[in-house]
Amino acid sequence: MIDILKSMAITFAMYSKLPVRSFNWEKENMKYCLLFLPMVGLVEGIFLIIFYIFFYKLKVNHILVAAFLTVLPILYTGGIHMDGFLDTMDALGSNQDKQKKLAILKDSNSGAFAITGGLVYILLYFAAMLSLNNITKIYILAISYILIRAYSALSLIVFKNARGSGLAFAFSDNSLIYTNRVVLLIFIVISSVAMIIVNVNYGLLCVIATYLVFLYYRVKSFEEFGGITGDLAGYFLQLAELVVVLVLALAP
């Protein structure tokens, strides 16, 4: 039980800005870390619903609400996934070979492709959030945070690591692979069913869209980088969140 709690604390400390106690990154403390990544999404979803209802009750201008809900995921995570998205945009835009692209992923400097990609991302996300004036869609978006993180964590366990080192490798290498796989698959099934229960049409569209982005992420990562990395897992997470909010915005 102590190991489980330490794994949960490490996961929330790494992937959110919640004030939790930090523990040493020892193998025993990291066995269940990936298992708790969907729980990080659960808490984010709760924040999304609370803030949306709070602003709705206060009748805050819908443009301000959309702006806040656009930056909420970045504020909550500290931008760790967005960092991976931006690094990936730079690497993909470079048109270099696999090793050079992997080197670009590790480069802390931001290039033109990262800046452009980030601006386009924020603009599209904000426009989509501006269109979500339906509490049902907000519920589905909140649940999608769980689903997307379950897929992201599962990829770190199942897919080949492009480097065989780094943060993603540390989490996957020290995890209980089969236990985490089973639990993450359960998270995927439960969150998918929950989205469909909230609304069959919206939920099913978002479940399918997330799976298609996951397939794209797998193919693109192996084709361009020879596997996945922590940055690419962050790229998938951000891309999937954008696709889900766009699907909800476009759905009648």
Side-chain angles (χ1 to χ4, degrees):
M1 179 60 73
I2 297 298
D3 290 340
I4 293 176
L5 293 176
K6 287 182 178 179
S7 291
M8 181 172 65
I10 290 173
T11 304
F12 273 89
M14 184 68 205
Y15 293 107
S16 80
K17 299 304 290 183
L18 295 180
V20 295
R21 179 181 173 184
S22 180
F23 292 93
N24 293 330
W25 284 28
E26 299 173 357
K27 186 171 184 177
E28 289 301 311
N29 296 343
M30 298 177 68
K31 291 190 297 185
Y32 305 98
C33 282
L34 293 177
L35 182 154
F36 285 105
L37 189 54
M39 299 301 293
V40 176
L42 172 63
V43 175
E44 181 180 351
I46 292 172
F47 279 132
L48 174 70
I49 294 170
I50 290 174
F51 281 118
Y52 181 84
I53 294 175
F54 176 73
F55 290 137
Y56 177 79
K57 294 293 184 182
L58 291 181
K59 298 182 179 179
V60 177
N61 183 280
H62 64 286
I63 296 177
L64 290 176
V65 175
F68 179 81
L69 296 184
T70 296
V71 300
L72 175 63
I74 299 175
L75 295 176
Y76 174 75
T77 63
I80 185 171
H81 305 302
M82 181 58 76
D83 177 71
F85 176 84
L86 298 178
D87 287 342
T88 303
M89 293 301 294
D90 262 342
L92 291 175
S94 69
N95 293 318
Q96 300 293 320
D97 59 37
K98 292 179 181 179
Q99 292 304 314
K100 181 61 176 178
K101 287 175 182 174
L102 287 172
I104 292 173
L105 286 181
K106 295 181 67 175
D107 190 346
S108 59
N109 296 312
S110 295
F113 295 107
I115 295 171
T116 304
L119 289 173
V120 171
Y121 185 101
I122 295 297
L123 179 61
L124 289 175
Y125 200 100
F126 171 71
M129 287 301 304
L130 200 57
S131 304
L132 298 190
N133 53 2
N134 184 328
I135 188 64
T136 299
K137 292 183 178 181
I138 293 296
Y139 287 143
I140 292 176
L141 178 60
I143 299 171
S144 75
Y145 294 154
I146 305 171
L147 176 64
I148 292 169
R149 280 167 175 76
Y151 271 123
S152 182
L154 184 65
S155 74
L156 293 175
I157 300 173
V158 175
F159 297 160
K160 173 188 173 185
N161 187 284
R163 292 197 188 99
S165 62
L167 180 61
F169 180 79
F171 273 97
S172 60
D173 190 50
N174 290 314
S175 66
L176 295 178
I177 294 178
Y178 294 106
T179 300
N180 284 352
R181 279 183 183 178
V182 171
V183 175
L184 290 171
L185 286 172
I186 291 173
F187 269 118
I188 290 172
V189 172
I190 291 177
S191 55
S192 297
V193 171
M195 292 166 71
I196 294 171
I197 289 175
V198 171
N199 184 284
V200 175
N201 294 330
Y202 298 156
L204 193 57
L205 281 173
C206 291
V207 167
I208 294 172
T210 302
Y211 181 67
L212 291 177
V213 175
F214 184 68
L215 290 182
Y216 165 80
Y217 156 58
R218 196 284 183 192
V219 172
K220 194 69 172 177
S221 295
F222 277 68
E223 179 183 288
E224 300 285 349
F225 301 91
I228 66 163
T229 67
D231 284 322
L232 292 172
Y235 167 78
F236 157 73
L237 191 150
Q238 293 291 162
L239 183 61
E241 288 188 357
L242 176 60
V243 168
V244 166
V245 77
L246 287 172
V247 167
L248 288 172
L250 294 171

